[in-house]
Amino acid sequence: PFQTLTAPAPFADETSCQCQAPHEKLTIAQARLGTPVDRPVRVYADGIFDLFHSGHARALMQAKTLFPNSYLLVGVCSDELTHKFKGFTVMDETERYEALRHCRYVDEVIRDAPWTLTPEFLEKHKIDFVAHDDIPYSSAGSDDVYKHIKEAGMFVPTQRTEGISTSDIITRIVRNYDVYARRNLQRGYTAKELNVSFINEKKYRFQNQVDKMKEKVKNVEEKSKEFVYKVEEKSHDLIQKWEEKSREFIGNFLELFGPDGAWKQMFQERSGRMLQAFSPRQSPNSSPTRGRSPSRSPSPPWVFNKASPPSSPKAASASLSSMSEGDEDEK
């Protein structure tokens, strides 16, 4: 079952986890078949492990999973041995020890591991097999420091992970030294801490200012492009709305003032009403009469003839007498 790790791996000189069962020599075939729980296969892997990376972790994973039941011990060489036989490290020995303790595949860390494995060291830590890549490792006057381990049948090869190594990481840093120096100066590190000369410090700080100006110009350009895009989008929407409104206006105008529009019909109706108001219909000819001749209408007796008014009182009396005679005749 999967076991949750809640603490870093212990150091060999501080742990009480010792193999209590008799330590009989195992062959690789026997180890691959599996061993009892109280007798795990003790596998040893060593190295410098500077700038601990995924290539290191994969090598340790392979060493841990070589056998069904295994206990992985990892030896880390000290700064003294490393500087003597290989070269200067980026991380000191304490940092490298701690990096190994927090790898999930490591069961135990051996500090100040030997450069060449001796029978006494193998016996002290009850080591069954040594895991390392199969490429001959020439060092300390030997063509392969693991040659005697291979001859004893205790060597188990692992595969290197291509494309990643401590040397590759350091090469990247050296290649981009100016970038990292400028970045750390900007973060607050001093030129003395970075081992940068006075002239280079001023140059890097000037380059940082130039980069800031470039970034500001870039931001302004991006914001300008975004603003122009928004204006174009808004203008497009506005023009589209104008077109819709203009079509609606033209349609309403034609519906109202077109050849067959409502305005023409309303105008015709009002024109007809006005004509009727100015020229009313004549009375019908069949209206009843009162028995008098239509060509002659009697005048009231009190209306005088405007053409021949009486010239004197005598003439007026004479006309009144004649009117009274006429009335008697009509009666």
Side-chain angles (χ1 to χ4, degrees), residues 155-174:
F155 186 84
V156 184
T158 58
Q159 298 296 322
R160 289 180 63 89
T161 302
E162 299 298 331
I164 182 67
S165 69
T166 301
S167 298
D168 292 337
I169 296 174
I170 294 174
T171 301
R172 295 181 205 171
I173 296 172
V174 172

Side-chain angles (χ1 to χ4, degrees), residues 28 129-134 146 149-150 152-158:
I28 293 179
F129 300 100
V130 176
H132 199 273
D133 62 78
D134 203 13
Y146 297 104
I149 303 295
K150 294 176 182 177
M154 298 175 62
F155 186 84
V156 184
T158 58

